[in-house]
């Protein structure tokens, strides 16, 4: 064989080609397989990397986009998992290449990784387009990485498989099972209320997060990886496998095998990201009691797939889908329990049996979702409830509208105290998060359990990046009186692990003059979740006077990505994508010759 002994091909015909491999002409062929100078250079440089022509010529080139980094504990294990993906790609006859991409660590990146979701989406899109790539495996899971990777991949439309990072193991403290995120908020409030001290808090630091992986509650991370599985772009059952379980490594290898097959089948991502798939992803999020962040992310992902998706779709589906997953923060159990109870296949099988899913659409692993779910079982009816015994009769999310939110707002009402779901109270307004933090405990503000806490300046532009400020803290003195929930309003988001009567994503945001900018302390605000309304009890004449006096704040950024962000970011109701990325329009393939 040419090159097998001395690494030198004896003549041009010794190089493997697509035709010899029996495969259709690959996209990577224009880099490697022609007789021009550029292909000569590409082959020489691939030899420089240490690869023989037999290893890559005529084989599907698979990009493995890995969001691992030293500062992302959710993805701490993905360096090893990338090796499992490579193993699968090699086994299937492909050629894997690993690409490091932005990590977007939810825990550490400020002001919020949401500011950089679109940056990772752009990086994903441009890497896949500009390199000799025939297919892709996307590795992520920490909140913004899942939508960002899939947004970018959808824009390029190659054969693609998503590998979720998987949830961490359950936490432990003094005989209690802890849920990362949710119990952080809970016990921090107990510390503020004086019910636990510094010693207990130090012990909790050691018990909240015990292994690599994403939050093991139904926070944004597990919500979005579950949505990816419901879309049909992961291996079956992938979303709930604990990060450190050996099954996770096997799943990663299976993803590597499958993506090579998808390339040979010509099955690009658009085959799977259909209108029906997005409706099923919404249904899944609602049945899980999932994060409100899914509203923004799924809207943006659908936009990249040229599929119109709006707040009305979420509210329409929420009215008919019960909450079946009894998982924190809205329930009792954790993702590890969910996995052993049957995981997402078990939950989807129950939804499908009730006619709540489109079962005849394709997935990356099976011709139809119906075939993918064949034989899926639920092993614990407490963790994954039956339709006759749901956690809640309707999905745990409601879309609100009114003169305070003409373009919509959302509330995860399953996580709120029921008596607050219809409430009128006087506003206490904070213009920014720092001021709120500094003054929230001041008794002079006169905050009572009936007050409506209002935070503005926290939206896509005002945040900047729409930080997770929406679970506004309850004043210490009210916590000590036993108050555990209040109505809270903002144009911010909140962590999927958070809870409470928090109205979020108010659009348009206050930073651009939305009605939230006009609220004053003492104004009465009415929330009515049943009627799906959010109303500021102020006359239109008075609002018009306030609007005429309002002045827009100056731009925050003078250069760099921040300036690009300010110029092009859209509002929450349309997914907070960049307008120039979500609009229709073909991008030409690069010329590699």
């Amino acid at each position: 064989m040419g090159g097998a002994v001395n690494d030198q091909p004896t003549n041009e015909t010794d190089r493997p080609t697509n035709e010899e491999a029996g495969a259709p002409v690959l996209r990577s062929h224009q880099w490697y397989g022609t007789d021009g100078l550029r292909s000569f250079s590409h082959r020489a440089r691939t030899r420089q990397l240490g690869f023989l022509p037999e290893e890559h010529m005529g084989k599907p080139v698979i990009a493995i986009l890995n969001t691992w980094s030293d500062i992302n504990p959710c993805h701490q294990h993905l360096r090893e998992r990338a090796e499992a993906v490579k193993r699968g790609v090699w086994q299937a006859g492909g050629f894997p290449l690993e690409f490091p991409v932005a990590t977007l660590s939810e825990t550490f990146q400020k002001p919020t990784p949401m500011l950089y979701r679109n940056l990772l989406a752009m990086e994903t899109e441009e890497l896949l387009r500009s390199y000799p790539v025939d297919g892709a495996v996307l590795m992520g899971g920490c909140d913004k990485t899942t939508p960002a990777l899939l947004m970018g991949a959808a824009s390029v439309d190659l054969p693609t498989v998503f590998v979720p990072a998987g949830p961490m193991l359950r936490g432990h403290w003094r005989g209690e099972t802890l849920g990362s995120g949710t119990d952080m908020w809970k016990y921090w409030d107990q510390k503020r209320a004086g019910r636990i001290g510094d010693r207990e808090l130090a012990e909790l630091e050691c018990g909240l997060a015990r292994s690599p992986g994403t939050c093991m509650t139904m926070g944004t991370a597990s919500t979005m990886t579950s949505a990816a599985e419901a879309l049909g772009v992961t291996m079956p059952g992938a979303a709930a496998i604990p990060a450190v379980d050996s099954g996770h490594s096997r799943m990663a290898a299976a993803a590597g095998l499958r993506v090579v097959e998808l390339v040979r089948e010509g099955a690009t991502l658009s085959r799977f990201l259909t209108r029906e798939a997005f409706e099923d992803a919404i249904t899944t999020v609602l049945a899980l009691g999932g994060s409100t962040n899914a509203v923004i992310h799924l809207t943006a992902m659908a936009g990249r797939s040229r599929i119109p998706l709006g707040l009305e779709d979420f509210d329409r589906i929420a009215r008919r889908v019960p909450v079946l997953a009894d998982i924190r923060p809205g329930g009792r159990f954790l993702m590890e329990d969910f996995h052993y109870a049957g995981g997402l296949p078990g939950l989807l099988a129950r939804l499908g049996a009730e006619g709540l899913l489109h079962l005849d659409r394709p997935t990356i692993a099976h011709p139809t979702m119906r075939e993918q779910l064949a034989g899926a079982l639920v092993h614990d009816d407490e963790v994954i409830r039956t339709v006759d015994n749901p956690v809640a009769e309707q999905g745990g999310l409601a879309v609100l509208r009114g003169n305070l939110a003409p373009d919509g707002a959302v509330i995860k009402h399953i996580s709120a105290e029921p008596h607050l779901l219809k409430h009128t109270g006087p506003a206490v307004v904070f213009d920014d998060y720092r001021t709120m933090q500094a003054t929230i405990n001041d008794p002079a503000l006169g905050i009572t359990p009936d007050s409506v806490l209002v935070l503005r300046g926290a939206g896509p532009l005002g945040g900047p990046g729409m930080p997770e400020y929406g679970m506004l803290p309850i004043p210490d003195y009210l916590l000590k009186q036993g108050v555990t929930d209040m109505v809270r309003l903002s144009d911010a988001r909140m962590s999927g692990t958070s809870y409470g009567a928090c109205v979020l994503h108010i659009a348009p945001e206050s930073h651009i003059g939305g009605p939230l900018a006009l609220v004053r302390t003492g104004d009465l605000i009415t929330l009515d979740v049943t009627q799906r309304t959010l109303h500021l009890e102020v006359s239109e004449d008075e609002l018009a006077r306030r609007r005429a006096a309002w002045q827009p704040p100056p731009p925050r950024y003078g250069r760099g990505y921040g300036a690009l962000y300010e110029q092009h970011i859209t509002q929450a109701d349309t997914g907070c994508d960049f307008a120039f990325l979500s609009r229709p329009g073909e991008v030409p393939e690069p010329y590699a010759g």
Side-chain angles (χ1 to χ4, degrees):
M1 179 183 295
V5 177
N6 63 5
D7 194 28
Q8 301 297 318
T10 57
N11 56 58
E12 194 72 15
T13 60
D14 285 335
R15 276 201 305 270
T17 66
N18 286 296
E19 291 75 18
E20 290 171 357
V25 174
L26 299 168
R27 182 176 179 270
S28 58
H29 180 76
Q30 65 176 308
W31 273 263
Y32 287 119
T34 69
D35 294 328
L37 170 64
R38 293 299 179 187
S39 282
F40 166 74
S41 173
H42 297 150
R43 293 191 297 267
R45 293 300 186 174
T46 304
R47 287 179 184 269
Q48 181 186 6
L49 290 168
F51 294 109
L52 293 167
E54 290 84 355
E55 294 183 85
H56 68 89
M57 289 294 292
K59 295 181 178 180
V61 178
I62 305 301
I64 302 169
L65 271 56
N66 193 347
T67 51
W68 172 91
S69 81
D70 273 331
I71 200 167
N72 194 334
C74 302
H75 297 177
Q76 186 179 351
H77 57 305
L78 290 189
R79 178 179 269 179
E80 297 173 5
R81 294 298 177 271
E83 295 304 314
V85 175
K86 290 178 185 178
R87 190 173 76 238
V89 172
W90 286 121
Q91 183 68 26
F95 180 58
L97 295 171
E98 186 177 354
F99 292 73
V101 292
T103 194
L104 304 192
S105 175
E106 192 68 31
T107 310
F108 292 103
Q109 193 170 28
K110 306 299 180 187
T112 167
M114 182 63 180
L115 182 66
Y116 302 103
R117 183 199 68 181
N118 297 346
L119 183 62
L120 175 54
M122 291 173 69
E123 182 182 19
T124 299
E125 177 176 350
E126 299 306 330
L127 281 177
L128 293 181
R129 179 175 289 115
S130 60
Y131 280 98
V133 170
D134 301 301
V137 174
L138 313 174
M139 304 186 68
C142 193
D143 297 12
K144 313 306 179 294
T145 58
T146 299
L149 290 166
L150 285 169
M151 286 163 66
S155 298
V156 182
D157 196 25
L158 295 177
T160 302
V161 178
F162 183 79
V163 172
M168 69 177 88
L169 298 177
R170 60 173 66 91
H172 288 285
W173 175 67
R174 295 190 178 185
E176 291 188 33
T177 298
L178 300 178
S180 184
T182 300
D183 281 314
M184 177 187 74
W185 310 117
K186 171 185 172 182
Y187 285 107
W188 186 256
D189 279 353
Q190 290 205 18
K191 172 67 164 60
R192 292 171 59 218
R195 298 188 186 99
I196 63 172
D198 290 339
R199 177 175 177 177
E200 289 82 2
L201 207 63
E203 292 174 4
L204 282 160
E205 281 187 26
C206 299
L208 268 172
R210 299 173 45 247
S211 79
T214 60
C215 289
M216 73 298 258
T217 51
M218 189 49 68
T220 304
S222 284
T223 297
M224 293 313 302
T225 56
S226 296
E229 183 173 337
L231 286 168
V233 297
T234 75
M235 300 308 293
I241 303 173
V244 295
D245 193 297
S246 62
H248 196 270
S249 184
R250 296 193 297 273
M251 177 271 295
L257 280 161
R258 183 60 188 139
V259 73
V260 175
E261 296 171 347
L262 290 171
V263 171
R264 290 175 174 147
E265 295 166 10
T268 65
L269 199 53
S270 59
R271 178 183 296 185
F272 311 105
L273 296 184
T274 62
R275 171 77 189 189
E276 291 78 13
F278 278 102
E279 289 191 355
D280 287 352
I282 295 173
T283 296
T284 301
V285 167
L286 293 166
L288 290 168
S291 168
T292 51
N293 288 309
V295 178
I296 292 175
H297 295 321
L298 285 173
T299 300
M301 291 161 64
R304 294 297 188 94
S305 301
R306 307 291 180 254
I307 295 168
L309 201 68
L311 291 177
E312 61 277 3
D313 294 302
F314 289 85
D315 199 57
R316 169 179 55 82
I317 296 173
R319 292 177 183 271
R320 62 183 179 86
V321 175
V323 179
L324 300 185
D326 197 347
I327 305 176
R328 302 183 197 182
R332 298 172 291 166
F333 298 100
L334 297 171
M335 288 300 294
E336 202 174 339
D337 307 305
F338 182 66
H339 174 61
Y340 297 128
L344 205 68
L347 180 129
L348 293 178
R350 288 198 162 164
L351 293 172
E354 298 298 320
L356 295 172
L357 297 176
H358 301 88
L359 295 176
D360 294 322
R361 61 182 177 87
T363 73
I364 59 116
H366 290 87
T368 66
M369 180 62 81
R370 188 184 308 280
E371 293 167 82
Q372 180 159 313
L373 298 179
L377 299 173
V378 173
H379 309 297
D380 190 332
D381 289 338
E382 288 296 304
V383 180
I384 303 175
R385 303 282 195 91
T386 63
V387 174
D388 295 333
N389 182 35
V391 176
E393 295 288 342
Q394 292 186 355
L397 180 146
V399 174
L400 310 172
R401 294 189 187 271
N403 69 345
L404 197 48
D407 291 338
V410 300
I411 182 172
K412 188 175 180 179
H413 56 85
I414 191 176
S415 297
E417 291 190 6
H419 75 277
L420 293 174
L421 300 182
K422 185 175 183 180
H423 179 82
T424 298
V428 178
V429 180
F430 301 94
D431 285 320
D432 60 80
Y433 191 71
R434 288 185 182 180
T435 301
M436 183 274 299
Q437 283 187 307
T439 62
I440 188 70
N441 293 315
D442 185 353
L445 293 179
I447 299 173
T448 73
D450 290 330
S451 298
V452 175
L453 303 181
V454 176
L455 173 67
R456 56 190 174 207
L461 279 166
M466 208 177 177
E468 293 182 338
Y469 293 164
M471 186 181 170
L472 278 65
I474 296 170
D476 289 355
Y477 59 87
L478 291 182
L479 287 172
K480 291 175 182 177
Q481 295 171 22
V483 176
T484 58
D485 199 4
M486 295 177 63
V487 174
R488 289 160 274 182
L489 276 59
S490 72
D491 45 14
R493 299 175 300 108
M494 78 176 183
S495 167
T497 65
S498 300
Y499 50 86
C502 303
V503 177
L504 311 160
H505 311 179
I506 291 177
E509 66 174 307
S510 59
H511 194 84
I512 62 172
L516 195 65
L518 311 180
V519 181
R520 295 180 180 175
T521 293
D523 290 347
L524 291 179
I525 295 174
T526 296
L527 166 67
D528 191 331
V529 173
T530 300
Q531 298 299 317
R532 301 296 202 262
T533 57
L534 182 66
H535 192 74
L536 177 63
E537 307 291 348
V538 174
S539 72
E540 286 301 317
D541 288 345
E542 174 60 21
L543 290 177
R545 283 190 289 271
R546 296 181 188 181
R547 191 174 292 111
W550 180 81
Q551 294 292 321
R556 181 176 278 103
Y557 294 99
R559 60 176 300 280
Y561 174 75
L564 175 74
Y565 178 94
E566 285 188 330
Q567 291 170 23
H568 298 287
I569 194 68
T570 64
Q571 289 292 292
D573 59 305
T574 54
C576 296
D577 199 0
F578 289 159
F580 66 86
L581 291 174
S582 58
R583 65 179 176 230
E586 294 300 320
V587 177
E589 273 281 291
Y591 175 61

